[in-house]
Amino acid sequence: MNLFDVYPVNPINIVKGQGSLVYDNHGTEYLDMYGGHAVISIGHTHPHYVKRLEDQLHQLGFYSNSIEIPIQKELAAKLGKVSGKDDYQLFMCNSGAEANENALKLASFYNGKKKVIAFTKAFHGRTSLAVAVTDNPKIVAPINETDNVIFLPWTDEAALEQAFADHGNEISSVIIEGIQGVGGIQVAPESFLQKIRSLCDQHNAVFIADSVQCGYGRTGKFFSQDFSGINADIYSMAKGMGNGFPVGGIIISPKIQPAYGMLGTTFGGNHLACAAGLAVLEVIEQDNLLQNAATIGEYLIKELKKLEQVKEVRGRGLMIGIELPEELANARKDLLFKHHIFTGEAKPNVVRLLPALNLTKAHADRFLEAFVNVLNQ
């Protein structure tokens, strides 16, 4: 049997990782400035993370949600403390797409409405409803198409107000990334998030903050939407939540009440997932990684903005997009194959940086030196 060939793959076999460094099967060292799509939040094979998972595996790897799982409550308490959302409720699942599916479904249960507002260049996942609110026709199968989604221009307040004026009684939710990832590291203005909050309140719609990539401390605050000073009704989470272990979840405003059978999952919230999630939060808290992400991110952005070949630098904390002119379209490949540095991309010519939140200044400088070399070669 062959693999179903849907990924363009670099001819590199990474077999080991430690912190922000990874190594291939030939022993070559690479600097990881991408964290496998923003997943590695506390560094590869962090010792506290490894011990948490190993200890749990020696006790119990899995049982279903039909029994009490105290470690779920422990995770919820720690998440409430670190995120500052103590009064919210946690539902766990396994991925970002699944988190957004549950958020959209829960919003519709809450107010009985069907329509969803999403935005151009949005990416919310590849499953049924998550992909329907994703602005990429190439990955939307005919069965996923629905008339219930209204796509609006990114951060266009007039268009948002008009949509609510036209469809206010039908709008179930507004879903938005505080910073678009796949869309090119586009930061939502604080005033726009505040406008969404206001209109949702007026029309009993649910504000869903997709924090799958831009959450979990990546921006220097726990959720990127926190910069706006407002609270969303539901936050979706995944990538950095488990540092590589498949974990997803939504945290839900106290105004939305649960009922048996409303949501469900087999693997979500299993013992190993919770151990991974707790390890991540404990390291974030103990090592003050929100501040580190803010500090090192600010340093990187400041230095990158000095480079005349760069068209624009966008982002917050350690979620950074570097827009380059077309003649430098090969910069990402050159960083990887000539300098052994992993980065990401967004079409057409944006280099994405999504490293671990404990990235050191020395590693930031190593990237900057290589990047300058690529720009000037």
Side-chain angles (χ1 to χ4, degrees), residues 31-39 121-124 126 136 177 179-187 210 212-215 218 239 300-301 304 310 312-324 328-333 335-336 341-356 359 367 371:
L31 174 61
D32 187 4
M33 294 293 290
Y34 194 52
H37 301 306
V39 167
K121 294 189 176 182
F123 186 93
H124 298 293
R126 294 177 179 270
N136 183 352
E177 303 155 89
I179 303 177
Q180 288 187 333
V182 174
I185 313 297
Q186 303 288 346
V187 181
D210 181 340
V212 169
Q213 188 173 131
C214 62
R218 178 148 298 281
K239 293 186 184 297
L300 276 167
I301 290 170
L304 288 165
V310 172
E312 188 177 11
V313 181
R314 298 186 292 269
R316 278 184 166 134
L318 290 174
M319 186 171 186
I320 300 170
I322 310 162
E323 186 169 345
L324 297 173
L328 291 170
N330 287 326
R332 180 172 167 268
K333 287 185 178 180
L335 282 166
L336 180 56
I341 298 176
F342 280 100
T343 60
E345 68 175 342
K347 303 296 184 184
N349 297 313
V350 177
V351 174
R352 279 198 288 165
L353 304 182
L354 298 160
L359 183 77
F367 164 76
F371 189 60

Side-chain angles (χ1 to χ4, degrees), residues 132 303 306 358:
E303 294 302 309
K306 295 177 182 177
N358 51 7

Side-chain angles (χ1 to χ4, degrees), residues 267-323:
F267 295 107
N270 67 74
H271 295 75
L272 283 174
C274 289
L278 270 167
V280 168
L281 290 170
E282 286 162 353
V283 172
I284 285 174
E285 186 178 44
Q286 292 165 13
D287 294 351
N288 200 16
L289 295 192
L290 298 188
Q291 183 59 54
N292 190 72
T295 301
I296 301 298
E298 183 180 359
Y299 171 69
L300 276 167
I301 290 170
K302 178 183 175 183
E303 294 302 309
L304 288 165
K305 285 184 174 180
K306 295 177 182 177
L307 305 177
E308 60 182 23
Q309 300 97 322
V310 172
K311 291 177 67 175
E312 188 177 11
V313 181
R314 298 186 292 269
R316 278 184 166 134
L318 290 174
M319 186 171 186
I320 300 170
I322 310 162
E323 186 169 345

